[in-house]
Amino acid sequence: MPKEDQEEELEVLRSIYESDDCFKEVNDTTFQYRIGDEGEGMSFLLEVSWGEDYPEVCPDISLDAFYNNHIHREIKDDILQRIREQAEENLGLAMTFTLVEWAKENREELMAKQQELINNKRLQEESREEESPERPGGQVVGKKVEKKEQLTKAQKRRIADRTDYKGERPRGWNWVDVVKHLSKTGGKQDG
């Protein structure tokens, strides 16, 4: 019975998420779904793995993917606990879709502490930047300004001769002359 339920749920998941870039089927019993926009500090990758007795027992839920390295351990544990509570409520039912949708709907709440950590980290970095130009005695140290390399008229003229009005080289400036190249290499040998 569990195998039939798994096959049916697998078919349903494939039909629902077939065009969704956030969904990835790792194998027939393991699925990953990216909650949130890629590259965003508030996103995470939820992995759900079915055991042999699923859906009679809770699936294995994980946030251990490399994608989630930006999330603090305590926040991961809290997210996992809350998703597992949802899984407990849905025992005996096909729950992968339900868990993913619940995580999508509650993403902001689940990641609220992560946002606080990101904001605190930003504030610390800004305060370090403000403090960095000063020495302990209160003396301000000037930042070194990089000077642009000065070119002579002859150097500028040579650059202008090699480029067009936009400062770009003409198309094909570094192409190999095919005939010249083949005469040096001998071309393809007949035989």
Side-chain angles (χ1 to χ4, degrees):
M1 184 73 175
K3 282 289 182 199
E4 292 171 7
D5 291 341
Q6 287 182 11
E7 289 173 10
E8 186 177 317
E9 184 173 1
L10 178 61
E11 192 175 313
V12 169
L13 287 173
R14 285 177 177 160
S15 67
I16 292 172
Y17 293 123
E18 72 181 315
S19 63
D20 193 341
D21 293 335
C22 297
F23 181 76
K24 180 180 179 185
E25 182 180 338
V26 178
N27 58 42
D28 288 345
T29 60
T30 305
F31 310 94
Q32 293 179 339
Y33 195 90
R34 186 183 71 241
I35 312 290
D37 295 329
E38 189 167 354
E40 181 183 286
M42 298 289 286
S43 64
F44 59 94
L45 190 70
L46 179 67
E47 184 173 284
V48 179
S49 300
W50 301 341
E52 287 188 25
D53 296 327
Y54 173 85
E56 302 303 322
V57 296
C58 287
D60 201 23
I61 301 167
S62 171
L63 291 175
D64 293 334
F66 181 77
Y67 185 86
N68 296 328
N69 281 350
H70 67 283
I71 303 174
H72 197 272
R73 182 86 231 145
E74 293 174 20
I75 297 167
K76 285 183 186 179
D77 293 340
D78 182 52
I79 293 170
L80 287 173
Q81 177 193 355
R82 294 178 66 186
I83 292 175
R84 286 183 181 127
E85 288 172 5
Q86 290 298 314
E88 293 286 334
E89 292 177 15
N90 291 298
L91 275 179
L93 303 172
M95 67 181 89
T96 304
F97 174 77
T98 307
L99 296 177
V100 167
E101 291 302 309
W102 183 86
K104 284 168 52 177
E105 290 171 9
N106 295 286
R107 177 179 65 99
E108 289 182 16
E109 184 182 331
L110 293 170
M111 296 294 285
K113 290 180 184 175
Q114 178 72 12
Q115 185 61 41
E116 290 175 19
L117 285 173
I118 291 171
N119 291 340
N120 289 340
K121 201 178 260 187
R122 245 188 238 136
L123 289 173
Q124 288 173 353
E125 288 173 4
E126 288 174 6
S127 65
R128 274 193 222 125
E129 288 174 5
E130 290 172 3
E131 294 170 5
S132 63
E134 293 185 13
R135 289 189 178 156
Q139 299 172 342
V140 177
V141 178
K143 293 184 179 178
K144 290 185 178 180
V145 178
E146 291 185 31
K147 291 185 178 180
K148 189 174 181 182
E149 185 179 335
Q150 298 294 321
L151 300 175
T152 65
K153 283 185 180 180
Q155 289 172 325
K156 290 178 185 176
R157 198 174 300 123
R158 253 184 265 128
I159 291 173
D161 289 343
R162 283 186 263 153
T163 61
D164 61 6
Y165 68 95
K166 293 181 186 174
E168 297 175 359
R169 292 187 172 183
R171 182 171 183 255
W173 69 272
N174 62 347
W175 291 356
V176 175
D177 182 7
V178 176
V179 174
K180 185 178 178 183
H181 175 72
L182 289 176
S183 68
K184 287 182 180 179
T185 60
K188 186 176 178 183
Q189 297 293 327
D190 292 333

